[in-house]
Amino acid sequence: MNLAMELTLVKGFDLIAEYFTDVRSDILMARASVPNTLGLQATPYSNLGKASGRGVDISLDYSKNFDNTLWITARGNFTYAKSNFEVFEEPNYTERYLSRVGQPLSQQWGYIAERLFVDEEDVRNSPQQTFGEYLAGDIKYRDVNRDGIISSLDMVPIGYPTDPEIIYGFGFSTGFKGFDFSAFLQGSARSSFWINTGATAPFVGYTYNSSDASSLSGVPVNQLLKAYADNHWSEENRNLYALWPRLSSTYNANNGQQSTWFMRNGAFLRLKSVEFGYTIPKKLVQRVKMQNLRFYTSGTNLATLTGFKLWDVEQAGRGLDYPVQRVINFGLQVGF
């Protein structure tokens, strides 16, 4: 269903607002309730799933010519969309927080990280963590179900979905006599991502997945980040909330679990483009046999407002892709 309205609020302002819903059923899903005693070699699939979505989309435009020398146009848009599983093939969980029913489609589950272990005494007196060896300076997780063991039964929904629920942008163009100026900003909100601990772990040889056609399979691509060097747990710096836990020469599976420790907010606002120009009066350029002559300077990706500072926030967890480039241009437009 899609409901929309288009209004002229006052002179110069135009509003378009839409509300939409979507329901999908018979989604193909792996059966989770088939016992192993049946002896099946492959997991059977059935059309069991059901999901719903809803949202709003709003666009506001403004345009006005004040006189022959001053004009302005502006536009803003805002989209909020949310989706949920209505039916999901899964066991009948005793712990309801494990269920995906009622959760967004891209919601992530993970462990609640409390802090780093203080010392070996703290390790011995804490619930057992089942992710391999862990020592003082490694991440300590919360025993959610209080069974004395940190396992997959302690994973809860954490953060926002990985797909942004809010997308927005706004910009304007204006001119006065021969001068013109325009700018556009874009942003998103209500999304989370996780730092890829394997791809960014110091001293560990990480390689791209060979199934990725654009990968550099077999070539170590780890970044050695100054942020980790400046803020990690060590015997000399027992910071229980350091950015990076205890250093290791091999990948630490305990610290690499998806958890709130490496969860980050994906919200940002980016100054996407700016342009400033000046057009020489026509009566002057016609003297040199031209129709128009305009000087301008423009820039893209000039600034980003975000709480994440390690690399470009739109690269999400890996930070290994080619970064978004800041570009500044100077130009001349000539017409004959």
Side-chain angles (χ1 to χ4, degrees):
M1 180 182 70
N2 189 87
L3 302 175
M5 65 177 180
E6 183 174 351
L7 299 174
T8 297
L9 301 178
V10 294
K11 188 175 182 181
F13 284 96
D14 294 306
L15 173 69
I16 299 176
E18 299 183 50
Y19 172 76
F20 55 88
T21 63
D22 178 68
V23 178
R24 295 182 294 124
S25 58
D26 296 331
I27 299 173
L28 187 65
M29 309 188 80
R31 297 302 306 264
S33 58
V34 178
N36 294 332
T37 53
L38 286 180
L40 300 177
Q41 291 185 342
T43 302
Y45 282 73
S46 297
N47 296 92
L48 300 171
K50 183 178 180 180
S52 64
R54 64 188 184 278
V56 294
D57 190 7
I58 301 173
S59 176
L60 180 65
D61 293 271
Y62 176 73
S63 178
K64 186 173 180 62
N65 291 317
F66 294 93
D67 52 42
N68 293 330
T69 60
L70 177 62
W71 57 271
I72 185 171
T73 61
R75 164 173 286 190
N77 58 75
F78 176 88
T79 300
Y80 171 76
K82 186 176 178 63
S83 60
N84 295 93
F85 282 112
E86 302 294 338
V87 177
F88 193 89
E89 174 68 1
E90 61 187 11
N92 186 18
Y93 290 115
T94 303
E95 301 84 356
R96 294 307 303 164
Y97 56 79
L98 295 174
S99 175
R100 292 185 178 271
V101 176
Q103 297 288 349
L105 302 189
S106 62
Q107 177 65 52
Q108 301 296 301
W109 270 251
Y111 299 96
I112 299 175
E114 296 184 334
R115 54 174 171 79
L116 303 181
F117 284 107
V118 178
D119 50 28
E120 298 310 315
E121 186 68 19
D122 188 19
V123 172
R124 287 190 294 269
N125 293 324
S126 298
Q128 179 187 357
Q129 302 186 173
T130 58
F131 317 119
E133 182 185 36
Y134 56 97
L135 304 169
D138 290 332
I139 300 175
K140 179 179 180 177
Y141 301 111
R142 180 176 300 173
D143 185 8
V144 175
N145 63 356
R146 300 180 181 275
D147 63 354
I149 298 176
I150 309 299
S151 66
S152 60
L153 297 179
D154 296 296
M155 300 182 76
V156 299
I158 55 175
Y160 296 114
T162 54
D163 297 319
E165 293 184 335
I166 294 177
I167 298 290
Y168 63 96
F170 54 92
F172 68 93
S173 297
T174 185
F176 178 69
K177 295 185 177 181
F179 295 94
D180 62 89
F181 179 76
S182 62
F184 177 71
L185 297 93
Q186 68 173 118
S188 73
R190 292 185 62 83
S191 70
S192 296
F193 67 91
W194 281 258
I195 294 176
N196 188 323
T197 55
T200 63
F203 316 121
V204 177
Y206 173 86
T207 58
Y208 281 107
N209 190 330
S210 59
S211 63
D212 182 357
S214 61
S215 71
L216 300 174
S217 180
V219 179
V221 293
N222 284 65
Q223 301 186 67
L224 299 178
L225 299 179
K226 186 176 185 298
Y228 292 171
D230 294 340
N231 189 9
H232 67 275
W233 186 96
S234 66
E235 293 291 345
E236 296 75 24
N237 177 35
R238 291 174 174 260
N239 180 3
L240 300 184
Y241 301 95
L243 172 62
W244 189 262
R246 176 180 63 91
L247 295 175
S248 173
S249 60
T250 58
Y251 180 70
N252 190 319
N254 180 85
N255 298 337
Q257 299 299 311
Q258 183 156 286
S259 72
T260 56
W261 194 268
F262 290 107
M263 182 177 71
R264 298 295 184 268
N265 192 332
F268 72 92
L269 175 63
R270 190 189 301 278
L271 180 57
K272 190 64 180 179
S273 63
V274 173
E275 183 168 324
F276 176 73
Y278 177 69
T279 302
I280 304 297
K282 182 169 290 189
K283 63 181 180 179
L284 295 180
V285 299
Q286 287 179 342
R287 296 177 181 178
V288 290
K289 308 301 183 182
M290 294 182 185
Q291 292 298 318
N292 58 75
L293 176 62
R294 178 176 178 265
F295 300 90
Y296 72 92
T297 179
S298 64
T300 58
N301 304 316
L302 297 180
T304 304
L305 180 63
T306 175
F308 184 72
K309 305 300 183 183
L310 294 185
W311 50 76
D312 186 81
V313 64
E314 287 194 270
Q315 293 185 36
R318 284 200 324 168
L320 298 173
D321 301 315
Y322 198 74
V324 173
Q325 297 295 292
R326 180 183 292 116
V327 178
I328 298 176
N329 298 310
F330 297 93
L332 176 66
Q333 292 177 326
V334 180
F336 294 95

